[in-house]
Amino acid sequence: MDILWVVLIAIATLILGLLAGFFIARKTMMSYLKKNPPINEQMLRTMMMQMGQKPSQKKINQMMKSMTQQMDNDDKKKKKDK
């Protein structure tokens, strides 16, 4: 009977540890991506040049602003749904 309790506690601890690790890693990754977005102005400029467009600073700024607004809107929706 004692061995059964030890096994059950071990399994429960493992499950709780996995769940806690997942949510901590997810929160850390989300904050990292918010502070360091995967696309910056230089990447946008390069993509536009590859598509055959001549990128002006105004276009670059507009695209960066729209991407940050989209990320903020997504964050607000997720918080509102919770």
Side-chain angles (χ1 to χ4, degrees):
M1 192 70 170
D2 290 335
I3 294 174
L4 179 64
W5 282 108
V6 170
V7 171
L8 288 175
I9 291 172
I11 291 173
T13 305
L14 177 66
I15 291 171
L16 288 174
L18 288 172
L19 287 174
F22 171 76
F23 286 111
I24 291 170
R26 182 174 178 262
K27 184 167 178 69
T28 304
M29 200 61 194
M30 295 297 269
S31 67
Y32 174 80
L33 287 175
K34 187 170 180 118
K35 291 177 185 173
N36 303 309
I39 295 179
N40 59 19
E41 290 183 15
Q42 184 62 35
M43 289 180 185
L44 277 177
R45 186 173 283 115
T46 303
M47 286 191 305
M48 291 177 76
M49 289 176 71
Q50 287 176 348
M51 290 187 290
Q53 298 178 5
K54 180 157 175 88
S56 67
Q57 190 61 37
K58 184 178 178 181
K59 276 186 182 180
I60 301 281
N61 291 341
Q62 286 175 343
M63 290 178 75
M64 289 297 291
K65 186 176 178 182
S66 70
M67 286 192 321
T68 55
Q69 283 179 344
Q70 183 66 36
M71 286 176 54
D72 290 342
N73 288 341
D74 289 345
D75 288 344
K76 287 179 184 176
K77 283 182 183 178
K78 287 179 184 176
K79 287 181 182 179
K80 185 179 179 183
D81 290 341
K82 289 182 179 180

